[in-house]
Amino acid sequence: MTEQALVKMNEEQIASCLESHSEWVELNNQIQRTFEFADFEASMKFVNEIAKYAQAVEHHPDMLIRYNKVTLSVSTHDASGITYKDFELATKADALV
Amino acid sequence: MTEQALVKMNEEQIASCLESHSEWVELNNQIQRTFEFADFEASMKFVNEIAKYAQAVEHHPDMLIRYNKVTLSVSTHDASGITYKDFELATKADALV
């Protein structure tokens, strides 16, 4: 993790990163994606994988579990906005599905 | 679980049950409570306990995890409203904290 990861991105930088994270949207100063799974058990498995990663990197997304759907929403509180750290989490989450 | 557990409650019945579940509120045709924990790890422990119960009784609340806070929202889809089954889940959740 470089210091740059914690600098708030501008709209141009966010748009550029969203191009390579096409399932993610910018919403309310966060980035968000809803993942769909086969069932509740698969949702919980995913959530626990994300939780493990979140603890390791000390960066915790909001996670909404609705049976077979999980919505992740993430921003960087310390930067009051979206940073590269959020896209690192998005990359990790995308790689899990 | 009796058949009665799956009958949609009327407002009077809901109000009566909310009296004994004072931390819960009725919102958007669901009952909801936000639990606060010491940290993220405690939130995840709670969520996994609820998940285990949800699978056992085949009744799954929506769960929103925000670091040390977990919001449960539950209704009974088959009854298009709030049933005794939802309050059984509330009772279980309350007993975990």
Side-chain angles (χ1 to χ4, degrees):
Chain A
M1 180 74 60
T2 63
E3 282 303 312
Q4 200 188 351
L6 292 171
V7 176
K8 183 177 175 174
M9 289 175 149
N10 63 34
E11 283 305 316
E12 194 180 348
Q13 292 168 321
I14 293 168
S16 172
C17 277
L18 283 173
E19 276 179 28
S20 55
H21 296 83
S22 58
E23 304 285 342
W24 292 75
V25 294
E26 187 187 356
L27 194 70
N28 299 329
N29 214 24
Q30 295 186 309
I31 56 169
Q32 183 176 95
R33 177 180 172 183
T34 297
F35 298 79
E36 194 164 338
F37 300 96
D39 51 27
F40 179 73
E41 203 175 344
S43 288
M44 286 305 304
K45 189 178 169 196
F46 175 74
V47 162
N48 279 296
E49 287 288 334
I50 294 292
K52 205 189 304 175
Y53 174 80
Q55 288 288 73
V57 299
E58 294 185 350
H59 194 50
H60 302 79
D62 290 348
M63 298 192 276
L64 172 61
I65 307 159
R66 288 170 300 161
Y67 196 65
N68 69 326
K69 295 191 184 73
V70 178
T71 300
L72 300 186
S73 306
V74 63
S75 66
T76 305
H77 295 284
D78 291 348
S80 299
I82 298 165
T83 67
Y84 188 67
K85 203 173 179 181
D86 301 313
F87 281 103
E88 285 184 331
L89 189 140
T91 300
K92 172 68 181 180
D94 287 349
L96 289 175
V97 294
Chain B
M1 180 75 58
T2 63
E3 283 302 312
Q4 200 189 351
L6 293 172
V7 175
K8 183 176 174 173
M9 290 176 148
N10 62 34
E11 283 304 317
E12 195 180 347
Q13 290 168 321
I14 293 168
S16 172
C17 277
L18 283 173
E19 276 179 28
S20 54
H21 295 83
S22 58
E23 305 285 342
W24 292 75
V25 294
E26 186 187 358
L27 194 69
N28 300 326
N29 214 24
Q30 297 186 308
I31 55 169
Q32 183 176 95
R33 177 179 172 184
T34 296
F35 298 79
E36 194 163 337
F37 300 96
D39 52 26
F40 180 74
E41 204 176 345
S43 289
M44 287 306 303
K45 188 178 169 197
F46 174 75
V47 162
N48 278 295
E49 287 288 334
I50 294 293
K52 205 189 303 176
Y53 173 81
Q55 288 288 73
V57 299
E58 293 185 349
H59 194 50
H60 302 80
D62 289 348
M63 299 192 276
L64 172 61
I65 307 158
R66 287 171 300 161
Y67 195 66
N68 69 325
K69 295 190 184 74
V70 178
T71 301
L72 300 186
S73 306
V74 63
S75 65
T76 305
H77 294 284
D78 291 347
S80 299
I82 298 164
T83 67
Y84 188 66
K85 203 173 180 180
D86 301 313
F87 281 102
E88 285 184 330
L89 189 140
T91 300
K92 172 67 181 181
D94 287 349
L96 288 174
V97 294

